[in-house]
Amino acid sequence: MKELFEKVFSNQHLTRLETQQVAEKIFEGQLTDSQIAAFLTALKCKGETAEEMAGIAETIQRKAVIIDCQKENVMDNCGTGGDRSGSFNISTTAAFVLAAGGVTVAKHGNRSISSKSGSADLFECLGVDITLSPDKLSTVLNEVGLAFLFAPHMHPNMKYVMNVRKELGTPTILNLIGPLTNPVRLDSQLMGTYRRDLLEETAKTLGELGRKRAVVVNGSGNLDEATLAGTTHFALLEEQRITMHTIEPEEFGFARLPIEAIQGGKAEQNTEILLSILKNQASPYLDTVLLNAGLGFFSNGKVSSVQAGILLAKECVASGEAFDKLQQLIKVQKEVA
């Protein structure tokens, strides 16, 4: 361990295997909080690589609980968080639209860390039980085509880094790889990141972790979502090739609006916003979700373009199918509970 720590402290990158060796010690509780904090800080200062992200993500996944999913082409659409934008829960809302469009979504997430409301807080406010056992979650996912996987329950060994993350109070590689550690084997993914400089590296990591197709997105203002505020940058992983792209809101008929237009609040306020969107009430919130759901359909391969994805998202919301998917999730959760 001492040699590997010195390597990172000397601003050198670790290999995938070396990172796994350190991660194994971390997630078995064999390192002190001071050692973990020093390691995470050193990685952040030197800059994280795809090899390092893959090494930690694989270690966390290997220790995760097992969710039995019988569906094909399963995806997730969670982001890293950490952008400090104060926006509402965009990806959580978009998950209902994606599921309504026939995509199986294993929505992986946590409580609020840097924002006022995390995905877990919102699901709880909606009446969804986030504490279901793995076998019951498997039933929900297979029957509804959408389930919320509460990260602390999926990854019990993450308890060894909880205090450090809170005390550091800044995003680290654990934020960057959180969306990579879904316990369900994913075929595709839409992942948001607050680090535009790591778009290509993150897409590369997703490929190394077995994703057949993925989009890693960074919005204007470095949001971990696509936004209407300006240019959205994204990396597309397709057939093991990575290409870089940009999109503008005007391309899809959306008005350019400041980030303040999609401000959220605590879980109760964000729940009201989500319900207004699923009920197709016109607003910047709705347009933002349509853009992100459109990217989700494109990421999944359900459609061949972002434009087609947005059109599908509009149909899912306008028809009431996205709102119905929420009701179905709540109903089935209560039945299995």
Side-chain angles (χ1 to χ4, degrees):
M1 281 300 104
K2 184 177 180 180
E3 291 180 1
L4 294 180
F5 271 51
E6 286 297 332
K7 187 174 180 179
V8 178
F9 297 156
S10 300
N11 214 35
Q12 299 179 56
H13 300 316
L14 298 182
T15 66
R16 194 165 173 171
L17 179 59
E18 288 172 335
T19 311
Q20 287 175 339
Q21 291 173 340
V22 178
E24 187 69 29
K25 295 288 186 182
I26 290 174
F27 297 110
E28 285 300 323
Q30 296 177 23
L31 297 183
T32 66
D33 283 359
S34 297
Q35 289 174 311
I36 296 170
F39 178 68
L40 296 177
T41 302
L43 284 180
K44 180 170 183 174
C45 290
K46 79 166 184 63
E48 304 88 344
T49 67
E51 289 280 300
E52 291 162 347
M53 288 191 283
I56 295 179
E58 284 176 326
T59 304
I60 294 173
Q61 281 184 308
R62 192 168 60 249
K63 298 177 181 298
V65 302
I66 297 174
I67 303 295
D68 180 23
C69 181
Q70 305 298 322
K71 300 283 191 174
E72 295 183 354
N73 198 6
V74 184
M75 76 173 293
D76 190 5
N77 71 324
C78 70
T80 59
D83 61 22
R84 304 187 187 279
S85 66
S87 60
F88 74 106
N89 298 92
I90 298 169
S91 63
T92 302
T93 310
F96 291 100
V97 182
L98 292 168
V103 176
T104 300
V105 183
K107 187 75 178 77
H108 188 230
N110 208 335
R111 293 197 184 279
S112 165
I113 295 177
S114 61
S115 63
K116 295 180 181 178
S117 172
S119 53
D121 305 301
L122 186 64
F123 271 104
E124 272 191 330
C125 202
L126 288 166
V128 173
D129 185 355
I130 67 172
T131 65
L132 291 180
S133 63
D135 60 322
K136 291 179 179 178
L137 275 175
S138 300
T139 299
V140 173
L141 182 59
N142 290 313
E143 187 170 336
V144 182
L146 169 66
F148 178 67
L149 311 179
F150 185 38
H153 288 184
M154 300 298 102
H155 309 289
N157 292 59
M158 288 293 286
K159 65 185 179 183
Y160 295 115
V161 298
M162 289 303 295
N163 288 336
V164 171
R165 296 184 75 182
K166 289 180 180 178
E167 289 177 1
L168 285 177
T170 185
T172 66
I173 195 170
L174 295 178
N175 295 79
L176 299 174
I177 59 91
L180 307 176
T181 61
N182 197 307
V184 174
R185 184 178 295 277
L186 302 177
D187 300 290
S188 58
Q189 189 160 354
L190 171 62
M191 176 178 165
T193 178
Y194 67 96
R195 291 281 300 274
R196 185 171 300 168
D197 59 312
L198 287 178
L199 282 175
E200 190 168 357
E201 282 292 301
T202 305
K204 180 180 177 182
T205 306
L206 286 168
E208 292 181 356
L209 292 173
R211 309 296 191 267
K212 298 173 184 176
R213 185 178 171 89
V215 167
V216 185
V217 64
N218 175 269
S220 176
N222 284 324
L223 266 69
D224 67 335
E225 313 276 0
T227 73
L228 305 177
T231 306
T232 290
H233 297 252
F234 71 87
L236 169 64
L237 169 71
E238 186 177 30
E239 298 178 352
Q240 294 303 308
R241 289 181 61 249
I242 297 171
T243 52
M244 306 301 293
H245 306 267
T246 60
I247 54 176
E248 307 290 344
E250 294 86 356
E251 292 180 48
F252 310 109
F254 297 124
R256 188 172 294 232
L257 297 168
I259 292 173
E260 290 73 24
I262 56 170
Q263 289 290 297
K266 293 185 178 180
E268 293 78 12
Q269 181 181 344
N270 288 0
T271 297
E272 292 179 5
I273 293 172
L274 179 147
L275 292 174
S276 74
I277 293 166
L278 298 187
K279 291 177 181 178
N280 201 30
Q281 296 176 12
S283 69
Y285 300 116
L286 173 60
D287 288 346
T288 300
V289 166
L290 293 176
L291 175 59
N292 281 275
L295 272 165
F297 285 127
F298 176 64
S299 306
N300 177 261
K302 183 80 174 179
V303 296
S304 59
S305 69
V306 178
Q307 179 70 67
I310 292 171
L311 291 174
L312 178 55
K314 288 180 177 179
E315 292 173 11
C316 291
V317 175
S319 66
E321 292 176 2
F323 184 78
D324 290 344
K325 185 60 67 173
L326 167 61
Q327 302 306 312
Q328 182 190 10
L329 175 63
I330 294 172
K331 178 177 180 290
V332 173
Q333 286 249 331
K334 289 181 178 178
E335 290 173 354
V336 301

